[in-house]
Amino acid sequence: MSKTWLITGCSAGGIGAGIARQILEKGYNVAVTARNTEKVRDIVKDYPETALALALDITDDNSIEAAVKATIEKFGTIDVLVNNAGYCYRSSIEEAEDEGVRLMYETNLFGPIHLIQKVLPTMRAQGSGAIVNVSSIGAVRTGAASGFYASTKAALELMSDGLRAELAPLGIKVMVVEPGAFRTHFYDSSLKGSENKIEAYKETAWTRSVAQNVNKQNQPGDPEKAGLPILEALESDHTPFRLLLGSDAVKVVRGSLEGRLQEIEAWEEVSRTTDF
């Protein structure tokens, strides 16, 4: 029996859509989800037997439960969950509006957690499965106006690390995907921001605000190529915990980790002074 994937955030032009198409092309069953199913019709129509369009609002527990139930009713199980849905709320820390920050946390962190909780009983019962949480290189290094977004992804990664330890003995894999910049709608329709303005942040957070942003569609990452590396990593006997996607991701993360090691070494003697 072909394995079944459930993928969130599959609206046209995004990484989720690219993953769905490549996985469907490989012959797998895929529950292709978005808040509005009209945004995934083009994918589903090409694979009428193996693709299922589902409405899924990751911030709504009833919607999550209904999507999981419909996937299992259609295909019999869920073998791979890909938590891809998410967006960025840009703001300095001080200018941020609580409602905007909380909604992003519901979408980027708590929603994926609730969905994981709903699929785990099925995966545990079959003694196999995989959970893929799409993070960002922002979880490793961030900048002005992106502190809140980065914090959702960093929290998602550390939650995933704990989850991996819990599920490894049960035959269930957990993997985090860290994409670099991909040519998607992330930098336009998926970008939100605060309306508050404090002049002190004119040269920092304001320069990266939604109002200043222009999506030139020149990012190096191709969303149509995101699926196969994920599939290859999951099918490997040595599945990585973190999988980078994109040459820019490799460069940024390597540089950030090297910088952190240098900082540890520079302050090592001071750090050791707190021991008994």
Side-chain angles (χ1 to χ4, degrees), residues 226-269:
L228 292 186
I230 293 173
L231 178 60
E232 180 179 347
L234 289 179
E235 292 185 339
S236 171
D237 292 333
H238 305 285
T239 298
F241 173 56
R242 288 183 176 87
L243 176 67
L244 297 170
L245 292 184
S247 58
D248 59 331
V250 173
K251 180 180 179 180
V252 167
V253 173
R254 176 180 284 136
S256 179
L257 295 179
E258 288 174 347
R260 186 167 183 181
L261 284 172
Q262 291 171 6
E263 186 176 65
I264 290 171
E265 291 170 359
W267 288 88
E268 182 175 0
E269 289 187 13

Side-chain angles (χ1 to χ4, degrees), residues 87-91 95-97 100-101 104 145 148-149 192-194:
Y87 70 96
C88 178
Y89 174 88
R90 279 190 182 171
S91 170
E95 293 170 311
E97 299 148 332
V101 174
M104 181 175 60
F148 287 115
Y149 171 71
K192 313 297 180 184
S194 172

